[in-house]
Amino acid sequence: QVPLVESGGGLVQPGGSLRLSCAASGVIFTIYSMGWYRQAPGKQRELVATAPSGGNTRYADSVKGRFTISRDNAKKMVYLQMNSLKPEDTAVYYCNVRISTSDYWGRGTQVTVSS
């Protein structure tokens, strides 16, 4: 059983919005970073956004201005607000949590952008 659980994926029309959530309650160690990655069929997994603990958020160029990552540290949650979605955003989105010794990965949530 993995300690991360993603939710919020689904089917949306181009230009629509979705908000992804990741519950990291299963992580019992100090969290150094939380982020989101995605992987489309036949393509390599890529970074979407990351939010280091006490640091600045970073985004892939392809999502800047459209996506926003946020954290609720008290609840050990990380979110990804996705606006102005495009068909090329279609992928499985994975939550990532970094601790001092390793990385945890969620099982993924499917996002499909299509009319």
Side-chain angles (χ1 to χ4, degrees):
Q1 180 178 330
V2 296
L4 309 181
V5 180
E6 304 103 329
S7 62
L11 175 64
V12 65
Q13 294 183 346
S17 298
L18 285 173
R19 190 175 85 144
L20 306 183
S21 300
C22 175
S25 58
V27 179
I28 63 175
F29 302 104
T30 300
I31 296 173
Y32 287 86
S33 181
M34 306 181 79
W36 292 92
Y37 290 71
R38 67 185 182 187
Q39 187 169 24
K43 294 188 176 182
Q44 195 171 12
R45 185 176 298 186
E46 64 176 352
L47 173 70
V48 177
T50 184
S53 300
N56 298 320
T57 58
R58 301 180 67 181
Y59 298 89
D61 289 339
S62 60
V63 307
K64 286 182 178 178
R66 300 188 298 119
F67 292 9
T68 303
I69 188 171
S70 61
R71 290 171 55 169
D72 185 332
N73 294 328
K75 297 180 179 179
K76 291 187 177 181
M77 299 285 292
V78 61
Y79 308 93
L80 185 68
Q81 179 66 47
M82 304 184 294
N83 299 325
S84 302
L85 283 162
K86 305 174 181 179
E88 49 263 45
D89 295 317
T90 297
V92 177
Y93 284 70
Y94 297 91
C95 180
N96 168 262
V97 173
R98 178 171 293 174
I99 62 174
S100 63
T101 59
S102 64
D103 286 76
Y104 292 101
W105 294 92
R107 293 172 178 171
T109 184
Q110 177 71 49
V111 172
T112 302
V113 185
S114 176
S115 59

